[in-house]
Amino acid sequence: KAFFLKASFLERTTLTLKKKDYLIDKSIKFERLVYHASDGGSTPNISIQIDSTRNLYVHFRIPSSDRMRRTGVYSAVLDEDTYNKLIFQLQNAQIRALRFGNFKGADSPIITLIIYYNNTRKYLRSIAPNRIARDLLDYIQLQLANYPGLRPASGIQELEWP
């Protein structure tokens, strides 16, 4: 492994490291994002979908023993600021090169992220997503799943399944 790494940099006289904050891929043309988090079962506990017209759909599936948390399908249209922050997170997550490790376990949620951009579909799934995606995943989990404009959906929105 060390030989491979050394061989990768033999042609370079200088190796420049950049702070993640400065690695923004402005060529990303966002189409749609689908996010699922599950506790290891076949049905995700939460599913989120956002499209390029700022439509947000969230499907909460919480065990019936936890009646304090919301369940069902909710929808909203994201405000421009929230949508632009999502786009920034996508551009900053290096999605062209992003990979999730194939880790197995039973004590962490399985995260599935499907991103459509530039006519490309990127499928990522793991219990231990890459650290470079942490800001994007935190934004999805903390901001979008709790978006204040979410209202019960009048119709059923079919979300893409992993």
Side-chain angles (χ1 to χ4, degrees), residues 68-84:
M68 297 302 291
R69 299 178 71 187
R70 76 170 123 182
T71 61
V73 180
Y74 294 78
S75 66
V77 176
L78 294 177
D79 62 79
E80 195 168 330
D81 185 52
T82 303
Y83 181 76
N84 289 338

PDB file of all heavy atoms in Angstrom, residues 68-84:
ATOM      1  N   MET A  68     -43.799   9.974  20.041  1.00  0.00           N
ATOM      2  CA  MET A  68     -43.493  11.392  20.173  1.00  0.00           C
ATOM      3  C   MET A  68     -42.909  11.969  18.883  1.00  0.00           C
ATOM      4  O   MET A  68     -42.874  13.174  18.719  1.00  0.00           O
ATOM      5  CB  MET A  68     -42.504  11.623  21.325  1.00  0.00           C
ATOM      6  CG  MET A  68     -43.065  11.225  22.680  1.00  0.00           C
ATOM      7  SD  MET A  68     -44.590  12.090  23.103  1.00  0.00           S
ATOM      8  CE  MET A  68     -43.959  13.725  23.348  1.00  0.00           C
ATOM      9  N   ARG A  69     -42.449  11.135  17.988  1.00  0.00           N
ATOM     10  CA  ARG A  69     -41.827  11.610  16.761  1.00  0.00           C
ATOM     11  C   ARG A  69     -42.819  11.543  15.607  1.00  0.00           C
ATOM     12  O   ARG A  69     -43.713  10.715  15.586  1.00  0.00           O
ATOM     13  CB  ARG A  69     -40.596  10.771  16.466  1.00  0.00           C
ATOM     14  CG  ARG A  69     -39.582  10.907  17.609  1.00  0.00           C
ATOM     15  CD  ARG A  69     -38.387  10.079  17.427  1.00  0.00           C
ATOM     16  NE  ARG A  69     -37.566  10.629  16.348  1.00  0.00           N
ATOM     17  CZ  ARG A  69     -36.511  10.019  15.874  1.00  0.00           C
ATOM     18  NH1 ARG A  69     -36.156   8.850  16.371  1.00  0.00           N
ATOM     19  NH2 ARG A  69     -35.799  10.550  14.913  1.00  0.00           N
ATOM     20  N   ARG A  70     -42.656  12.408  14.650  1.00  0.00           N
ATOM     21  CA  ARG A  70     -43.609  12.453  13.533  1.00  0.00           C
ATOM     22  C   ARG A  70     -43.387  11.291  12.572  1.00  0.00           C
ATOM     23  O   ARG A  70     -42.282  10.783  12.424  1.00  0.00           O
ATOM     24  CB  ARG A  70     -43.549  13.788  12.836  1.00  0.00           C
ATOM     25  CG  ARG A  70     -42.383  14.023  11.935  1.00  0.00           C
ATOM     26  CD  ARG A  70     -42.612  15.281  11.138  1.00  0.00           C
ATOM     27  NE  ARG A  70     -41.527  16.213  11.366  1.00  0.00           N
ATOM     28  CZ  ARG A  70     -41.478  17.400  10.841  1.00  0.00           C
ATOM     29  NH1 ARG A  70     -42.421  17.839  10.081  1.00  0.00           N
ATOM     30  NH2 ARG A  70     -40.460  18.191  11.084  1.00  0.00           N
ATOM     31  N   THR A  71     -44.468  10.886  11.940  1.00  0.00           N
ATOM     32  CA  THR A  71     -44.439   9.828  10.939  1.00  0.00           C
ATOM     33  C   THR A  71     -45.216  10.304   9.720  1.00  0.00           C
ATOM     34  O   THR A  71     -45.976  11.264   9.788  1.00  0.00           O
ATOM     35  CB  THR A  71     -45.078   8.525  11.465  1.00  0.00           C
ATOM     36  OG1 THR A  71     -46.441   8.786  11.792  1.00  0.00           O
ATOM     37  CG2 THR A  71     -44.347   7.989  12.672  1.00  0.00           C
ATOM     38  N   GLY A  72     -45.022   9.640   8.614  1.00  0.00           N
ATOM     39  CA  GLY A  72     -45.758   9.959   7.409  1.00  0.00           C
ATOM     40  C   GLY A  72     -44.922  10.707   6.390  1.00  0.00           C
ATOM     41  O   GLY A  72     -43.717  10.870   6.524  1.00  0.00           O
ATOM     42  N   VAL A  73     -45.607  11.186   5.348  1.00  0.00           N
ATOM     43  CA  VAL A  73     -44.957  11.870   4.236  1.00  0.00           C
ATOM     44  C   VAL A  73     -45.239  13.368   4.341  1.00  0.00           C
ATOM     45  O   VAL A  73     -46.378  13.783   4.536  1.00  0.00           O
ATOM     46  CB  VAL A  73     -45.461  11.329   2.880  1.00  0.00           C
ATOM     47  CG1 VAL A  73     -44.780  12.045   1.725  1.00  0.00           C
ATOM     48  CG2 VAL A  73     -45.241   9.831   2.787  1.00  0.00           C
ATOM     49  N   TYR A  74     -44.182  14.153   4.210  1.00  0.00           N
ATOM     50  CA  TYR A  74     -44.269  15.603   4.286  1.00  0.00           C
ATOM     51  C   TYR A  74     -43.617  16.197   3.043  1.00  0.00           C
ATOM     52  O   TYR A  74     -42.747  15.574   2.433  1.00  0.00           O
ATOM     53  CB  TYR A  74     -43.549  16.119   5.533  1.00  0.00           C
ATOM     54  CG  TYR A  74     -44.212  15.693   6.805  1.00  0.00           C
ATOM     55  CD1 TYR A  74     -44.045  14.408   7.312  1.00  0.00           C
ATOM     56  CD2 TYR A  74     -45.030  16.570   7.503  1.00  0.00           C
ATOM     57  CE1 TYR A  74     -44.677  14.013   8.475  1.00  0.00           C
ATOM     58  CE2 TYR A  74     -45.657  16.181   8.673  1.00  0.00           C
ATOM     59  CZ  TYR A  74     -45.472  14.903   9.152  1.00  0.00           C
ATOM     60  OH  TYR A  74     -46.093  14.508  10.303  1.00  0.00           O
ATOM     61  N   SER A  75     -44.035  17.401   2.701  1.00  0.00           N
ATOM     62  CA  SER A  75     -43.440  18.062   1.550  1.00  0.00           C
ATOM     63  C   SER A  75     -43.325  19.555   1.807  1.00  0.00           C
ATOM     64  O   SER A  75     -43.983  20.107   2.694  1.00  0.00           O
ATOM     65  CB  SER A  75     -44.263  17.800   0.288  1.00  0.00           C
ATOM     66  OG  SER A  75     -45.527  18.402   0.398  1.00  0.00           O
ATOM     67  N   ALA A  76     -42.479  20.190   1.012  1.00  0.00           N
ATOM     68  CA  ALA A  76     -42.288  21.639   1.081  1.00  0.00           C
ATOM     69  C   ALA A  76     -41.554  22.068  -0.176  1.00  0.00           C
ATOM     70  O   ALA A  76     -40.991  21.237  -0.901  1.00  0.00           O
ATOM     71  CB  ALA A  76     -41.479  22.021   2.318  1.00  0.00           C
ATOM     72  N   VAL A  77     -41.567  23.342  -0.415  1.00  0.00           N
ATOM     73  CA  VAL A  77     -40.716  23.939  -1.442  1.00  0.00           C
ATOM     74  C   VAL A  77     -39.659  24.721  -0.680  1.00  0.00           C
ATOM     75  O   VAL A  77     -39.990  25.598   0.123  1.00  0.00           O
ATOM     76  CB  VAL A  77     -41.512  24.853  -2.395  1.00  0.00           C
ATOM     77  CG1 VAL A  77     -40.578  25.527  -3.385  1.00  0.00           C
ATOM     78  CG2 VAL A  77     -42.581  24.057  -3.121  1.00  0.00           C
ATOM     79  N   LEU A  78     -38.394  24.360  -0.897  1.00  0.00           N
ATOM     80  CA  LEU A  78     -37.309  25.010  -0.168  1.00  0.00           C
ATOM     81  C   LEU A  78     -37.196  26.480  -0.541  1.00  0.00           C
ATOM     82  O   LEU A  78     -37.364  26.845  -1.710  1.00  0.00           O
ATOM     83  CB  LEU A  78     -35.975  24.333  -0.472  1.00  0.00           C
ATOM     84  CG  LEU A  78     -35.794  22.897  -0.001  1.00  0.00           C
ATOM     85  CD1 LEU A  78     -34.442  22.360  -0.467  1.00  0.00           C
ATOM     86  CD2 LEU A  78     -35.922  22.793   1.494  1.00  0.00           C
ATOM     87  N   ASP A  79     -36.901  27.304   0.441  1.00  0.00           N
ATOM     88  CA  ASP A  79     -36.619  28.706   0.139  1.00  0.00           C
ATOM     89  C   ASP A  79     -35.255  28.770  -0.564  1.00  0.00           C
ATOM     90  O   ASP A  79     -34.462  27.827  -0.505  1.00  0.00           O
ATOM     91  CB  ASP A  79     -36.641  29.561   1.406  1.00  0.00           C
ATOM     92  CG  ASP A  79     -35.576  29.149   2.403  1.00  0.00           C
ATOM     93  OD1 ASP A  79     -34.405  29.528   2.211  1.00  0.00           O
ATOM     94  OD2 ASP A  79     -35.924  28.437   3.367  1.00  0.00           O
ATOM     95  N   GLU A  80     -35.008  29.860  -1.225  1.00  0.00           N
ATOM     96  CA  GLU A  80     -33.803  29.979  -2.056  1.00  0.00           C
ATOM     97  C   GLU A  80     -32.518  29.847  -1.251  1.00  0.00           C
ATOM     98  O   GLU A  80     -31.558  29.210  -1.684  1.00  0.00           O
ATOM     99  CB  GLU A  80     -33.823  31.312  -2.800  1.00  0.00           C
ATOM    100  CG  GLU A  80     -32.817  31.362  -3.930  1.00  0.00           C
ATOM    101  CD  GLU A  80     -33.032  32.560  -4.835  1.00  0.00           C
ATOM    102  OE1 GLU A  80     -34.174  33.016  -4.974  1.00  0.00           O
ATOM    103  OE2 GLU A  80     -32.035  33.019  -5.397  1.00  0.00           O
ATOM    104  N   ASP A  81     -32.477  30.412  -0.054  1.00  0.00           N
ATOM    105  CA  ASP A  81     -31.282  30.350   0.781  1.00  0.00           C
ATOM    106  C   ASP A  81     -30.959  28.906   1.184  1.00  0.00           C
ATOM    107  O   ASP A  81     -29.810  28.469   1.090  1.00  0.00           O
ATOM    108  CB  ASP A  81     -31.468  31.221   2.021  1.00  0.00           C
ATOM    109  CG  ASP A  81     -30.209  31.303   2.863  1.00  0.00           C
ATOM    110  OD1 ASP A  81     -29.137  31.623   2.302  1.00  0.00           O
ATOM    111  OD2 ASP A  81     -30.290  31.029   4.084  1.00  0.00           O
ATOM    112  N   THR A  82     -31.957  28.157   1.623  1.00  0.00           N
ATOM    113  CA  THR A  82     -31.752  26.761   2.020  1.00  0.00           C
ATOM    114  C   THR A  82     -31.299  25.934   0.826  1.00  0.00           C
ATOM    115  O   THR A  82     -30.384  25.113   0.931  1.00  0.00           O
ATOM    116  CB  THR A  82     -33.049  26.173   2.618  1.00  0.00           C
ATOM    117  OG1 THR A  82     -33.448  26.985   3.726  1.00  0.00           O
ATOM    118  CG2 THR A  82     -32.858  24.744   3.070  1.00  0.00           C
ATOM    119  N   TYR A  83     -31.932  26.145  -0.323  1.00  0.00           N
ATOM    120  CA  TYR A  83     -31.562  25.419  -1.543  1.00  0.00           C
ATOM    121  C   TYR A  83     -30.123  25.757  -1.948  1.00  0.00           C
ATOM    122  O   TYR A  83     -29.345  24.858  -2.282  1.00  0.00           O
ATOM    123  CB  TYR A  83     -32.536  25.768  -2.666  1.00  0.00           C
ATOM    124  CG  TYR A  83     -32.243  25.045  -3.957  1.00  0.00           C
ATOM    125  CD1 TYR A  83     -32.567  23.707  -4.118  1.00  0.00           C
ATOM    126  CD2 TYR A  83     -31.634  25.702  -5.019  1.00  0.00           C
ATOM    127  CE1 TYR A  83     -32.304  23.033  -5.298  1.00  0.00           C
ATOM    128  CE2 TYR A  83     -31.362  25.046  -6.209  1.00  0.00           C
ATOM    129  CZ  TYR A  83     -31.699  23.709  -6.345  1.00  0.00           C
ATOM    130  OH  TYR A  83     -31.422  23.053  -7.512  1.00  0.00           O
ATOM    131  N   ASN A  84     -29.751  27.022  -1.902  1.00  0.00           N
ATOM    132  CA  ASN A  84     -28.390  27.410  -2.275  1.00  0.00           C
ATOM    133  C   ASN A  84     -27.351  26.824  -1.327  1.00  0.00           C
ATOM    134  O   ASN A  84     -26.251  26.458  -1.755  1.00  0.00           O
ATOM    135  CB  ASN A  84     -28.262  28.937  -2.337  1.00  0.00           C
ATOM    136  CG  ASN A  84     -28.993  29.517  -3.525  1.00  0.00           C
ATOM    137  OD1 ASN A  84     -29.251  28.827  -4.516  1.00  0.00           O
ATOM    138  ND2 ASN A  84     -29.348  30.784  -3.428  1.00  0.00           N
TER     139      ASN A  84
END
